[in-house]
Amino acid sequence: MTRRAVLGAGLFIGSSLILKGCQNATDSVSSTQELIVTTYGGSWEEGHRRELASSFTKAHNANVRVISEPGLEAVAKVIAARTSPPYDVILIPEGPMFTAQAEGVLQEFPQDASQNYASILPQYRNQGLAPMVASQVLGIAYNPERIKNPPRSLLELWHSEYRDRVGIPSLESGLGTTFFVELARLEGGSENDAEGAFRKLTQLRPNLAAVAPNPGSLATLLQQGEIDIAPHWFDYVSGIRSKGASVEWVAPTEELASSSSSLQIVRNSGATELAAAYIDTALSLEVQSAMAQPPYNFVPTHQDAPIPEELAQKLGKSPSDRLDEVVFIPDWQAINPNRSAWIERFDREVKI
């Protein structure tokens, strides 16, 4: 037995617990007591290093190597090297999560052995897989020095006063797809009926100043004054504002479209119990409460963790309230089969 295997044994309370499907795992990633995990850049990376990895290391005396990797790229790498994956745990949003599950590169999460699974809100649980660890909500970011009367509805981005001032994300990003699906819903459609969204985006051309490939580049355009308004995540905007960016965020009067991410065990990681314990730490009240605070401001999935105070204020709620009634969770299992065709059509029809 390797040092990693020894370390992994008995990380949950009750050392006799056996994780499902672990018996044939090989130590393909590393032979040391090190867990290799991915996270996204920005606030995700900062929070996972400071709050999650440090808490896990303290509790389990294990090293954690945190790699910044977009979810889609992490999935592509574990699919390409499925028998010897580069990571033990990957952070992925809903769309890539269902893709990875279909490809058979994710390990079942031991829900019965988890100390925190039962405390995760039902809408964030995944059958067989680990629950979501945090959620982001979509609103409207704007430059307060140039926009004195910010819109309150995503549909107000079409108003003539915003001519040549609006930026939107590409559909290749999770932000772009979430915005697109929310637009379809506001136009009477759904994940399976996006004609209204395409029609509406075509009508946005007079106001459209930029189409950004990802949330980071969209924020950069906003900071540089090349656009003045854009649909964007609350946590992302509050994070860059805390570092000096002149940008504000307003909650739309519609439901808040959201995107959630989960940490998943990679099949054949060879450290599945250690990986499961790392994910269970991410689901804990301690870590989720910390990640809901500035500068991270993620919406927690733990039923007892507070929602970000600033977001609560914008919604007229208290941090102890839940957001069930105002959050729209897109159906990514319906989105995934349509997404490639949407991207091709978006690139063809949505031009500046």
Side-chain angles (χ1 to χ4, degrees):
M1 180 178 286
T2 65
R3 293 178 63 197
R4 163 175 266 179
V6 172
L7 184 67
L11 286 171
F12 286 112
I13 290 180
S15 58
S16 62
L17 292 172
I18 302 298
L19 299 181
K20 300 170 184 174
C22 296
Q23 292 86 344
N24 297 323
T26 58
D27 198 354
S28 57
V29 174
S30 170
S31 60
T32 68
Q33 301 176 10
E34 183 177 65
L35 195 67
I36 305 174
V37 305
T38 71
T39 187
Y40 311 146
S43 296
W44 281 99
E45 181 175 3
E46 187 176 342
H48 277 182
R49 288 185 184 279
R50 290 185 180 178
E51 311 297 342
L52 173 55
S54 62
S55 178
F56 175 78
T57 298
K58 188 182 302 180
H60 299 291
N61 191 31
N63 294 326
V64 180
R65 193 187 335 164
V66 180
I67 308 293
S68 180
E69 182 84 87
L72 271 175
E73 293 180 20
V75 170
K77 288 182 178 178
V78 298
I79 290 175
R82 59 178 70 223
T83 60
S84 183
Y87 311 123
D88 298 299
V89 176
I90 55 175
L91 177 67
I92 44 179
E94 294 110 313
M97 181 187 74
F98 290 120
T99 299
Q101 186 180 30
E103 288 286 340
V105 295
L106 300 182
Q107 171 76 42
E108 185 176 357
F109 181 72
Q111 298 171 358
D112 294 342
S114 168
Q115 298 179 52
N116 298 298
Y117 178 81
S119 297
I120 300 302
L121 292 166
Q123 62 266 39
Y124 296 116
R125 299 177 189 174
N126 296 303
Q127 187 172 10
L129 298 178
M132 299 304 186
V133 295
S135 187
Q136 298 167 282
V137 292
L138 179 71
I140 305 165
Y142 66 96
N143 183 335
E145 297 175 1
R146 302 170 69 163
I147 298 294
K148 302 304 179 185
N149 184 30
R152 290 301 309 275
S153 165
L154 290 170
L155 295 178
E156 291 180 25
L157 298 177
W158 277 254
H159 285 187
S160 59
E161 63 184 294
Y162 304 129
R163 188 180 183 90
D164 294 326
R165 306 177 78 177
V166 176
I168 61 172
S170 163
L171 257 64
E172 294 193 34
S173 69
L175 173 63
T177 301
T178 302
F179 169 62
F180 180 78
V181 172
E182 171 66 356
L183 187 57
R185 195 179 66 85
L186 292 174
E187 290 297 296
S190 68
E191 293 89 339
N192 290 310
D193 178 9
E195 285 303 314
F198 278 115
R199 183 172 59 250
K200 198 68 178 174
L201 285 175
T202 300
Q203 297 168 357
L204 187 62
R205 283 180 180 172
N207 289 7
L208 198 57
V211 178
N214 54 59
S217 58
L218 188 62
T220 298
L221 292 173
L222 193 61
Q223 290 177 258
Q224 293 176 341
E226 297 184 48
I227 61 173
D228 291 332
I229 311 175
H232 218 305
W233 303 126
F234 165 75
D235 59 280
Y236 202 103
V237 170
S238 60
I240 62 173
R241 193 185 57 224
S242 69
K243 297 179 179 178
S246 179
V247 57
E248 291 289 346
W249 184 93
V250 63
T253 50
E254 303 95 6
E255 285 182 320
L256 295 170
S258 69
S259 175
S260 303
S261 293
S262 65
L263 288 161
Q264 299 293 343
I265 308 169
V266 177
R267 187 175 296 279
N268 295 328
S269 82
T272 48
E273 288 196 28
L274 195 65
Y278 180 78
I279 296 170
D280 209 42
T281 303
L283 299 175
S284 69
L285 179 59
E286 176 189 13
V287 171
Q288 294 235 345
S289 296
M291 293 290 287
Q293 299 301 312
Y296 322 119
N297 289 305
F298 293 109
V299 176
T301 59
H302 192 293
Q303 62 185 6
D304 297 324
I307 60 175
E309 184 171 354
E310 181 189 350
L311 178 61
Q313 291 175 351
K314 290 181 180 298
L315 298 174
K317 294 180 173 293
S318 76
S320 61
D321 289 336
R322 286 162 48 174
L323 299 180
D324 307 45
E325 297 177 353
V326 294
V327 170
F328 162 61
I329 301 177
D331 181 356
W332 280 88
Q333 287 181 295
I335 292 171
N336 277 349
N338 297 315
R339 196 175 181 194
S340 294
W342 287 351
I343 291 172
E344 289 182 13
R345 183 174 172 185
F346 179 92
D347 292 343
R348 189 172 60 248
E349 296 184 1
V350 184
K351 298 179 179 178
I352 300 173

